[in-house]
Each structure stands twice: as structure tokens, then as C-alpha cells.
Amino acid sequence: MARIDLHDEGAVVIIGSGAGGGTLAHELTRRGIPVVLLEAGKRQSTATFSQVPGEAFQQLTWLDTRTQSGSWGVARDFPGLPSWHCKTAGGTTVHWTASTPRLEPWELRAKSTYGHVPGTSLIDWPISYPELKNYYLLAERRLGVTRRNGVPGLPASNNFKVMYAGAKKLGYKRVHTGHMAINSRSRDGRGFCIQQGFCVQGCKMGAKWSTLYTEIPSAEATGKLDLRIECRAMRIEHGANGRVNAVVYRDSQGQEQRQKARLVCVAGNGIETPRLLLLSESAKFPQGLANSSDQVGRNYCHQIVGYVWGIFDQPVYSWRGATVAGVVEDEVFNDPKRGFVGGYRIELVALDLPTMPQVGLPYGWGRDFASIMEEYRNIAGLLINGEDMPRAENRITLNPEVKDAFGLPAANVHVDEHPNDQALRKHAQGQMSKMYAALGAKRIFPGPSLPATHNTCSARMSAEPRDGVTNGWGQTHDIPNLFISDGSMMSTPGSANPTLTIVALVLRQAEYISRQMAAGKI
Amino acid sequence: MDPLTTLHRREFLKTSTGLLTGLVAAGSSLALLAPGRAWAVDLTALSSAEAATLLVVARTIAPHDKLDDAAYALVIQAVDGDASKDDKTRQMIREGVASLGAGFPGSPESERVEALKKMEASGFFQSMRLKTLQVLYSNPIAYAYFGYEGEAFSKGGYLFRGFNDLRWLPEVPLADSGALPA
């Protein structure tokens, strides 16, 4: 591993080591570009992942103080926890459930496809689908996505058998065990999935792709990576010329350090990325970095998620097996006749026993609640993953009243649901309920919207600088050597789980950065 | 595969706390709610009477009639631990218990539910509800009771231990799933 001097002005500094930052670090270092990778969390491994759900949550989750506001259910049901993402080396790829569908071509043309939807800030992506598809193909090979490139699908779990039978009763056609970044066979030096059901706690088999044990070690092997764990970026600095030139961070000892940089790439997930830009305000950029458009933090999307649980007469044992290895893709289309624009996936889901009452039924108590828990063996689960509408007022801001442990203003997450979001959720939960009703479930009930993991669009790509924060390469409109390298740069969320898209965008961005650096432009 | 992970009680006792050992070893659980026995030994912030009331609160929040008091006692132990670390918490718990009144533990469930509903928005109730949900379902007694088998890595996963043993619905065609890894 490289040791890059704090005063070295030649390195690229990447903030965050998840799907975006971890992959970008590998892509740049393998091209010979020195990278300092700042990671706020600790470095775990397949050996240290806790198998106690509560402990694993504490071990991996970003739990710094945050606040939230707005009408969304998360503010009511999960006060203090607007988002469930990670603070650990490998970022949220440690706890993700590895569902890796592609966006559809029309989803990249959201504004054109959906037309004028009042109360939204929809735009089209500044890049075309054929352009993105090339990188989807690369990303799918990189991640070993099942049911692509001849990689076999995962076998059907009990929970999926219920999903499949119900979906077929409704006439759904595109139902399978998912495009998953989980090894169905040993591959890439990693073992195959042994159906532990502990995807969210960190895969002790390493069968699930995570930058922690793929991209990061590969980057380290180049000798060009300086990974600094437990190092929290505090602000990005710039010179008189308006270009960024350093990142100030607190190291693992709490000491402030200042790393000079040729280029800075922010990949802190859709909440921390805009927060860091806002925290980096200066006399020259009083609204924060890359924010002349006032779009940093706005248009925050998180995708519509929500459970439907079905209780059956016979056992399901839903916790056995890869957590989200199942999907119905028949609702991924746009038809306003359904009462909303955009589409959704129906995905498989299960929760371990300790998590079920806290996340699956977070407001329950009393006889009715307990009667559901009594049926835990017989519960099958489904999850919506649908497109939500960007709104200018759904945004990440700095809360002047509340400080984090470093004395910096905490992020406030504000979400008012758009009527389209509510209509989509209602339709999805209706269809999911019908699937279970068709199988004779004795009780069907919806669960809440859970804390957001798919934090996107809060520093989005836009053709017009006034509509967003970056161009089609994730390069900020205002500052040519400042890049956004995570889901924050997505122009709209679509209905696909975002990680594959993030990886594809970053593979593409890495080519651009290395070309621009070689040409001396950045 | 056996639907229940059978947990041998004696095995559990070896790995559990003194409090639980006391409760379970002495036999009937309700009798042990009497002040001055197991509770008195292990409580640090709360009185035995307060703990006994809180146990009934936890049972009203999550009423699993056949689930051993020992599981609920873990909730109370956690509440006691929180109360011992923080005076404000202790005060909140004490006031909450006091407001329920001495008759609460012995009153019928419908009356207990009514009493708790009236204080549903209070910090006391919310913290008791959260603590009950966090602790009650996260221990070996609960795992055995609800049939949850927990972590599987140490046993080779569920791949050959029932992840696909459901037989009351048709099998999924291989084209839509995949063969087991060889």
C-alpha cells in the first residue's frame, strides 16, 4: 500500500469507499493514478462481521446524529434514523442485499417520458442509454451478476417459492431469483452463496460482492492506494483559482489533517455527499461548493420502499436464504393509467427475528402485534422498490440547531411525499397483497417505509448547469477538478436498486478522469 | 429439518446471567416476582416492586402468553441498566411506574392496555416499548420460542439445512431460479 504525503499535490482524494468510491479507487490506481481514499468507518472483514443482528447494526451503520422533517413515514416511524446505510470500509456494499438490475432506457428520459408532473423537478439524464449500457455490461462482469453473461441464477428459497407461486397466479411473467451480485458458483476468488440469510450483517462467505474484499484489495495491490480508515472528511478547500486543492479531515486519533489534492471525488452516499459540499462553504463559494445553481442537496430521492407480509398456514422460514434473491419485474413500465408515472419492482425480503419487530412492524404493540410475531415461522415477505419523484424541496440541508460529534451541523433530511409516490406505493402494496391472497394467506398486512438506503440524486447530473450539480461525467459544473462519484449524481432514481448503476457510472467516470488528467485538463 | 431449533434449558442457564439463573432455577416464574428474591440481588437502579410492574408492562406490550418470564426479565434488566447509567432515565421510569399505580400489575389485561394507551405518547411508554422490542426478541429463549434459527455461517449456511424445504407449493422451474451449487 502506498503512503502519500499530506503535501503531495498529485494525488486524487476520494471520500468514501463504497460502491462508488471503492470502485473508483480501483479504477484509477490500476491506471497508475495515486489515490488517497478516506473512509470514515473502521475496516471489518469476513472474519470480524458480527452475526448478532443488533451488534452488526452497531458495527456497520452510519449512526451519527441526523435530523429529519417532512411528511414521509420514516420521520414518524424511525426518528433519528432517516437512512440505513453504512459507515465502514466498503461502505454500504457491506450491508447491501446485492440486487443489481439495470435501469430501463425510458427511465433515463424521465422528464420526456412522464411529461409535466406538477410538484416535481424531473429532468432527463444527460447521457443516453446506449452509452450507459456499455458500462452496465462491464459492471455486470465485474460484480459477477447472476443471470447475466452465463452466470447461473441463485436457487429458489422457501420465501421465493411463495413469491413465485403468488406472482404466477396473478399472471406475472418476469419472475426469477434476481440479477444478484452474489456468487451462485465460486468465482473471482470468492466462494458461493451458502444461503445464510445474513446478507445485511455482512456476508461471511464473501459470496456477495463488496468493495471491502474486491475493489479495495485490488487497488491496494497496485501499490498506488493510500487507504485511511477512521478518517472523517470535514471540508474541501479550494485555491484562489476556484479549483479544489485539499481535503481537511479528522484522523483516527481525532487530529485534524489536511491532504493536498489534484482532484477530489466525493462518494459519501446521498446524504453525506451534499452535506460535505455545503459544509465546505467559503468566501468565494458562500452557498457551498459546486452550488451556484442552488441544487446541492435538492431533488433528494430514496426510492419507494415498503413491505407486505403474508401469514400462511404452513411454515415459510423466510430467514433461511439470500435475503432479496427474488423479483417480479412486470410492473417496471410507465403507464399513467395505473394512476402514477414510473414503475416499480416487487422484491423478496425477510427480516431476522430481532429486526422484524423494530423495522418490519415499528409502531406495533399489544395483542395484535404479538399475534403476528407468534406466526414468525409462517411469514413470507415482499418489498417494493419503486421510483420516487424528485422535488426541489426534498433536500439535504445543514441543521444549524444540531451538531454532530465533530461540532459540525448535522444533516437534516426533508421529504414530503409526492402524490405520485403514494399512488405508486398503494398500487404496489395492492398487487403484492393480491399475490399472497391468491395463495390463501390467512393474514396480509403492509409494513412501513423503512429508513432509506437508496439515497440518490442529491447532487445530480444535468445537461443544463442550472438544473443540477454535475455534467454527464459527474464532474461538477462549477469546479472542474471536483467530482461526485456516488448515487448522488444520478439524475433520477428509476426503479432499479441503484448500486449497479453507481458502479457503471463510476467505471465510465474513471475513464474520463484518467483521459482528462493525461491531457492535462484537470 | 426440525422446524424448531430446540434449545436445551440447561445449556441456556450456563450462558446466562445470575438474574436469569435465579428466576428460572427456582421454578414457577410468577412466584418470583415477589420482592426480595431474584430481583433484589441484581437490580441496581430500580426497586423490586418497580421491576415487577415493568415486567407486567413488557408483557402487556408484547403479550406472548407461553413465553417464559425469563425473556421478559432480560428486558427489565436492560431497563435497569439504562436507569443506573442516567438519572433522568431513572426518574422517567420511576415516575412512569408511579403513574401506573400499585394496582396495575394485578389488573386485567384490558385495563392495563387502557392505562398504557393513555400514556402512549409519553417518553416512559415509548422507551419501554422500544426496549421491549429490542431485547425480547434478541435472546436464545425467544429464538427457541419463535423457531428462529439465527446465524448459520458456523453451520454451513442453510443451503443444506432447509432453505428450500418448503413443499406446500410447486417447485420453481430451473429457468427462473438455478441449480444448487455443486
mmCIF file of all heavy atoms in Angstrom, chain A residues 165-180:
data_model
loop_
_atom_site.group_PDB
_atom_site.id
_atom_site.type_symbol
_atom_site.label_atom_id
_atom_site.label_comp_id
_atom_site.label_asym_id
_atom_site.label_seq_id
_atom_site.Cartn_x
_atom_site.Cartn_y
_atom_site.Cartn_z
ATOM 1 N N ALA A 165 -45.068 -18.472 -6.683
ATOM 2 C CA ALA A 165 -46.403 -19.051 -6.868
ATOM 3 C C ALA A 165 -47.456 -17.947 -6.907
ATOM 4 O O ALA A 165 -48.366 -17.966 -7.746
ATOM 5 C CB ALA A 165 -46.693 -20.048 -5.739
ATOM 6 N N GLY A 166 -47.324 -16.969 -6.016
ATOM 7 C CA GLY A 166 -48.291 -15.869 -5.991
ATOM 8 C C GLY A 166 -48.215 -15.029 -7.255
ATOM 9 O O GLY A 166 -49.243 -14.638 -7.826
ATOM 10 N N ALA A 167 -47.016 -14.759 -7.708
ATOM 11 C CA ALA A 167 -46.831 -13.946 -8.916
ATOM 12 C C ALA A 167 -47.426 -14.649 -10.129
ATOM 13 O O ALA A 167 -48.070 -14.015 -10.979
ATOM 14 C CB ALA A 167 -45.346 -13.669 -9.132
ATOM 15 N N LYS A 168 -47.219 -15.955 -10.206
ATOM 16 C CA LYS A 168 -47.749 -16.705 -11.351
ATOM 17 C C LYS A 168 -49.276 -16.719 -11.332
ATOM 18 O O LYS A 168 -49.919 -16.670 -12.376
ATOM 19 C CB LYS A 168 -47.183 -18.128 -11.347
ATOM 20 C CG LYS A 168 -45.702 -18.181 -11.709
ATOM 21 C CD LYS A 168 -45.480 -17.772 -13.153
ATOM 22 C CE LYS A 168 -44.013 -17.499 -13.451
ATOM 23 N NZ LYS A 168 -43.787 -17.099 -14.866
ATOM 24 N N LYS A 169 -49.852 -16.789 -10.133
ATOM 25 C CA LYS A 169 -51.330 -16.748 -10.034
ATOM 26 C C LYS A 169 -51.868 -15.434 -10.591
ATOM 27 O O LYS A 169 -52.962 -15.376 -11.128
ATOM 28 C CB LYS A 169 -51.767 -16.879 -8.568
ATOM 29 C CG LYS A 169 -51.494 -18.240 -7.964
ATOM 30 C CD LYS A 169 -52.747 -19.081 -7.886
ATOM 31 C CE LYS A 169 -52.442 -20.350 -7.103
ATOM 32 N NZ LYS A 169 -53.467 -21.376 -7.310
ATOM 33 N N LEU A 170 -51.088 -14.370 -10.441
ATOM 34 C CA LEU A 170 -51.530 -13.075 -10.966
ATOM 35 C C LEU A 170 -51.172 -12.894 -12.436
ATOM 36 O O LEU A 170 -51.491 -11.871 -13.029
ATOM 37 C CB LEU A 170 -50.885 -11.928 -10.148
ATOM 38 C CG LEU A 170 -51.768 -11.296 -9.082
ATOM 39 C CD1 LEU A 170 -52.143 -12.326 -8.027
ATOM 40 C CD2 LEU A 170 -51.087 -10.102 -8.434
ATOM 41 N N GLY A 171 -50.503 -13.875 -13.009
ATOM 42 C CA GLY A 171 -50.156 -13.792 -14.421
ATOM 43 C C GLY A 171 -48.861 -13.068 -14.720
ATOM 44 O O GLY A 171 -48.563 -12.766 -15.872
ATOM 45 N N TYR A 172 -48.082 -12.791 -13.688
ATOM 46 C CA TYR A 172 -46.787 -12.154 -13.927
ATOM 47 C C TYR A 172 -45.853 -13.116 -14.662
ATOM 48 O O TYR A 172 -45.865 -14.325 -14.424
ATOM 49 C CB TYR A 172 -46.152 -11.724 -12.613
ATOM 50 C CG TYR A 172 -46.751 -10.474 -11.997
ATOM 51 C CD1 TYR A 172 -46.946 -10.390 -10.618
ATOM 52 C CD2 TYR A 172 -47.099 -9.374 -12.775
ATOM 53 C CE1 TYR A 172 -47.473 -9.243 -10.027
ATOM 54 C CE2 TYR A 172 -47.632 -8.225 -12.190
ATOM 55 C CZ TYR A 172 -47.823 -8.160 -10.816
ATOM 56 O OH TYR A 172 -48.339 -7.034 -10.253
ATOM 57 N N LYS A 173 -45.050 -12.545 -15.562
ATOM 58 C CA LYS A 173 -44.181 -13.373 -16.410
ATOM 59 C C LYS A 173 -42.700 -13.265 -16.026
ATOM 60 O O LYS A 173 -41.965 -14.234 -16.127
ATOM 61 C CB LYS A 173 -44.307 -12.922 -17.877
ATOM 62 C CG LYS A 173 -45.721 -12.969 -18.431
ATOM 63 C CD LYS A 173 -46.031 -14.356 -18.980
ATOM 64 C CE LYS A 173 -47.345 -14.363 -19.761
ATOM 65 N NZ LYS A 173 -48.526 -14.302 -18.874
ATOM 66 N N ARG A 174 -42.271 -12.056 -15.642
ATOM 67 C CA ARG A 174 -40.832 -11.853 -15.409
ATOM 68 C C ARG A 174 -40.547 -11.998 -13.918
ATOM 69 O O ARG A 174 -40.414 -11.019 -13.183
ATOM 70 C CB ARG A 174 -40.417 -10.477 -15.939
ATOM 71 C CG ARG A 174 -40.611 -10.350 -17.462
ATOM 72 C CD ARG A 174 -40.562 -8.906 -17.899
ATOM 73 N NE ARG A 174 -39.276 -8.293 -17.604
ATOM 74 C CZ ARG A 174 -39.079 -6.975 -17.561
ATOM 75 N NH1 ARG A 174 -40.082 -6.140 -17.787
ATOM 76 N NH2 ARG A 174 -37.880 -6.488 -17.286
ATOM 77 N N VAL A 175 -40.507 -13.260 -13.511
ATOM 78 C CA VAL A 175 -40.328 -13.578 -12.094
ATOM 79 C C VAL A 175 -39.156 -14.546 -11.976
ATOM 80 O O VAL A 175 -39.174 -15.618 -12.605
ATOM 81 C CB VAL A 175 -41.600 -14.256 -11.520
ATOM 82 C CG1 VAL A 175 -41.504 -14.349 -10.006
ATOM 83 C CG2 VAL A 175 -42.857 -13.529 -11.954
ATOM 84 N N HIS A 176 -38.147 -14.181 -11.227
ATOM 85 C CA HIS A 176 -36.978 -15.064 -11.119
ATOM 86 C C HIS A 176 -36.188 -14.718 -9.861
ATOM 87 O O HIS A 176 -36.589 -13.816 -9.110
ATOM 88 C CB HIS A 176 -36.097 -14.963 -12.382
ATOM 89 C CG HIS A 176 -35.721 -13.563 -12.758
ATOM 90 N ND1 HIS A 176 -34.716 -12.882 -12.115
ATOM 91 C CD2 HIS A 176 -36.226 -12.704 -13.688
ATOM 92 C CE1 HIS A 176 -34.593 -11.667 -12.645
ATOM 93 N NE2 HIS A 176 -35.503 -11.531 -13.595
ATOM 94 N N THR A 177 -35.107 -15.429 -9.639
ATOM 95 C CA THR A 177 -34.332 -15.226 -8.403
ATOM 96 C C THR A 177 -33.402 -14.007 -8.487
ATOM 97 O O THR A 177 -32.529 -13.835 -7.633
ATOM 98 C CB THR A 177 -33.510 -16.479 -8.026
ATOM 99 O OG1 THR A 177 -32.712 -16.862 -9.156
ATOM 100 C CG2 THR A 177 -34.419 -17.634 -7.624
ATOM 101 N N GLY A 178 -33.635 -13.193 -9.489
ATOM 102 C CA GLY A 178 -32.994 -11.881 -9.488
ATOM 103 C C GLY A 178 -31.655 -11.836 -10.196
ATOM 104 O O GLY A 178 -30.972 -12.848 -10.387
ATOM 105 N N HIS A 179 -31.313 -10.629 -10.624
ATOM 106 C CA HIS A 179 -29.941 -10.342 -11.061
ATOM 107 C C HIS A 179 -29.206 -9.898 -9.802
ATOM 108 O O HIS A 179 -29.443 -8.800 -9.290
ATOM 109 C CB HIS A 179 -29.933 -9.255 -12.127
ATOM 110 C CG HIS A 179 -30.619 -9.673 -13.391
ATOM 111 N ND1 HIS A 179 -30.147 -10.704 -14.171
ATOM 112 C CD2 HIS A 179 -31.749 -9.232 -13.998
ATOM 113 C CE1 HIS A 179 -30.946 -10.870 -15.213
ATOM 114 N NE2 HIS A 179 -31.932 -9.989 -15.124
ATOM 115 N N MET A 180 -28.361 -10.772 -9.305
ATOM 116 C CA MET A 180 -27.771 -10.556 -7.990
ATOM 117 C C MET A 180 -26.251 -10.564 -8.079
ATOM 118 O O MET A 180 -25.676 -11.409 -8.755
ATOM 119 C CB MET A 180 -28.196 -11.677 -7.022
ATOM 120 C CG MET A 180 -29.704 -11.943 -6.953
ATOM 121 S SD MET A 180 -30.650 -10.559 -6.280
ATOM 122 C CE MET A 180 -30.081 -10.576 -4.597
#
